[in-house]
Amino acid sequence: MGPGEQPEYSAPLRRERLIVVSNRLPFRFRRDDQGQWRADPAGGGLVTALLPVLRHRGGMWIGWTGAVGEDPELATALDAVGKGAGYALKSVPLSEEEVHNFYFGFANEIIWPLFHDLQSLCNFEPEYWRTYCEVNIRFADVVRSNAEPGDFIWVHDYHLMSLAAELRRAGVKSRIGFFLHIPFPPLDLFLKLPWRMALLRALLEYDVIGFQTLRDRRNFVQCVRALVKGAEFEGRGHVLLASVPGRMLRVGSFPISIDYNAFMRQAATSEVAERARELHRLLPNRKLILGVDRLDYTKGIPLRLRAFESLLTRYPELRERVSLIQVVVPSREEIPEYRELKTQIEQQVGKINGSFVRPGGWVPVWYVYRSLARLDLLAYYRAADVALVTPFKDGMNLVAKEYCACSIEEDCALILSEFAGAAPQLARGALLVNPYDIEGVADAIHRAYHMDKGERQARMRRMRRSIREYDVFWWVDSFLRAAITKDLRAFPQPDSYAGEVVEDLPVLF
Ligand code: ADP
Ligand code: F6P
């Protein structure tokens, strides 16, 4: 396409109303001490990514409020928040039993561990599946009563994999897209799921399915090829045309991102700079290493603490010269594994601090267990000399991208797990590590500590350039284009796409 020429999809892209459907709305509603409904911003990558998109384009967001049951006062509170947000909010109420079986049960005790390669943590309870199907029907009812012909319905994440099938059953003809924010497992793991065929068939009712990385897309294609007779895939770029008995759909990889400019601008404010300086005043004469994660066993926090302990043991000259700030955001507290993880982390922090602390002075690990206000989070990002992002497996990991966006001086380092979805894109700037390799992670911290300024800046600059170019608006556009473009051959199919080599295996392996 020549400069200035309009791609054929640009007009429909602008015209269509976007209806986003996800399990969680961008606000969690709860009653305060006076009994009034309060809306707090919800956490997690999905909300961070989609909020700027909805603010920018308008539209509607349908999801669960985080509260149990129905309440007319809650509906009023929701309307009021929606008016201020610039897009409509619609809720799908869930009963206590549904929250238990659908959200904590099927979504977070089956799909979450299985899709993160942790099959041993799965609780394949048949009742969970039944409720999952029922709740997907309830979501479909709410979508159906709010959607108009011509809307683009964009469903997000593993809680709602059956939604398109339910909408089709109810006669909805609109285009429906699905984006999976978490990894898609390889065939041998997917086969363990007792409801694998029903789920796969339901997914194939979408018009376009997006994955975070080429690896996830390949896994999905492998599962469809193995389980669906007559399935064929055509194409060689990051979007493939799939033909399965009775229908055609598109399957692509679209690495999610952040509103890079917004993060950068906010991080550059004097308020954030002052808070970052305050952190250095409180923890003087040392490099600050930062970990920021939801409390989740996929994030690899206990092994990261072991790696930090190994650093202090094997490189004693770094004692008093580094501190680890570990921010943990409360999450899914009703699930036993999450509660046990919290106890384990607290014990480890206590042990490390007990072994290495210098009375009246240096504390090796600063542990923060709460959700932070945005400016405080940005101050941590800005103050940190090294970010330590070591999940065992992660769909993308937006913390890694946010850290780079906020590193305005570019004088810092990112240590990143090979198994984060962000790794292929950031491989040329980050220090990649195997999160299971405790001494390897310790060595990477040691290397980051001693890295010269020129190398730090060159690496950070490379990562920032890529995140700026492939930001969240690029992500939403490329997904919608893949959904709407009539002729896939006219769709840009570069050899390398947001840092991933399309034709070959991803850069890492
Ligand atoms: P996940 O979606 O699994 O939680 P991500 O790293 O992709 O993982 O996204 C986490 C999101 O949560 C980021 O956008 C980050 O800004 C936000 N977040 C992380 N820590 C905090 C915190 N302490 N307070 C508020 N928001 C946080
Ligand atoms: O990215 C995975 C995800 O489940 C998102 O759907 C969500 O934003 C985030 O983790 C937080 O999880 P939850 O909605 O269960 O609190």
Side-chain angles (χ1 to χ4, degrees), residues 154-374:
W154 194 3
V155 181
H156 291 263
D157 235 354
Y158 56 102
H159 316 83
L160 300 173
M161 289 185 280
S162 308
L163 186 52
E166 299 306 339
L167 286 169
R168 298 286 180 229
R169 217 163 275 150
V172 173
K173 300 267 185 311
S174 307
R175 262 179 297 216
I176 314 174
F178 176 77
F179 186 80
L180 185 67
H181 290 251
I182 65 172
F184 195 88
L187 177 64
D188 54 350
L189 273 176
F190 187 73
L191 285 178
K192 307 280 164 42
L193 187 67
W195 309 279
R196 61 201 184 194
M197 278 315 295
L199 210 62
L200 209 55
R201 286 218 179 89
L203 276 170
L204 294 170
E205 291 295 325
Y206 284 98
D207 295 305
V208 56
I209 305 182
F211 297 95
Q212 297 275 25
T213 65
L214 282 165
R215 176 180 303 272
D216 300 315
R217 194 202 68 190
R218 282 198 189 101
N219 287 344
F220 178 74
V221 168
Q222 193 193 18
C223 290
V224 175
R225 281 207 165 109
L227 295 173
V228 179
K229 222 168 146 204
E232 280 176 20
F233 292 86
E234 201 185 297
R236 51 169 286 279
H238 64 100
V239 185
L240 306 179
L241 192 60
S243 124
V244 293
R247 64 190 321 272
M248 311 271 273
L249 64 148
R250 286 145 193 221
V251 181
S253 69
F254 309 91
I256 202 167
S257 195
I258 55 167
D259 182 352
Y260 175 90
N261 288 325
F263 271 96
M264 197 190 63
R265 265 198 310 272
Q266 260 196 315
T269 57
S270 51
E271 215 178 334
V272 170
E274 181 45 42
R275 289 182 203 200
R277 272 196 296 274
E278 179 62 21
L279 276 169
H280 276 292
R281 272 197 291 275
L282 287 168
L283 302 166
N285 306 321
R286 72 195 80 169
K287 291 206 173 183
L288 300 182
I289 302 168
L290 177 69
V292 175
D293 310 82
R294 255 187 325 101
L295 180 74
D296 200 295
Y297 48 74
T298 60
K299 302 289 181 184
I301 305 170
L303 283 196
R304 185 185 310 163
L305 289 168
R306 292 272 316 271
F308 186 66
E309 190 176 14
S310 158
L311 175 88
L312 300 179
T313 309
R314 291 167 53 239
Y315 300 104
E317 71 279 9
L318 290 192
R319 294 178 196 170
E320 299 189 78
R321 296 184 184 281
V322 291
S323 280
L324 171 65
I325 303 176
Q326 178 62 59
V327 180
V328 175
V329 188
S331 178
R332 305 176 193 165
E333 287 154 285
E334 282 80 350
I335 300 175
E337 277 81 12
Y338 286 70
R339 285 201 298 269
E340 285 157 22
L341 178 64
K342 178 169 182 275
T343 310
Q344 187 188 352
I345 293 170
E346 285 166 0
Q347 283 171 350
Q348 271 184 283
V349 171
K351 176 170 168 270
I352 298 171
N353 283 344
S355 312
F356 294 98
V357 71
R358 296 285 152 91
W362 175 64
V363 178
V365 185
W366 256 46
Y367 175 63
V368 181
Y369 178 70
R370 63 166 189 276
S371 192
L372 297 175
R374 169 105 159 183

Side-chain angles (χ1 to χ4, degrees), residues 8 10 53 113-114 160 175 274 314 354 379 389 402 439 444 500:
E8 52 128 355
S10 60
V53 174
L114 188 70
L160 300 173
R175 262 179 297 216
E274 181 45 42
R314 291 167 53 239
V389 180
E402 291 168 9
E439 295 193 346
E500 286 201 77

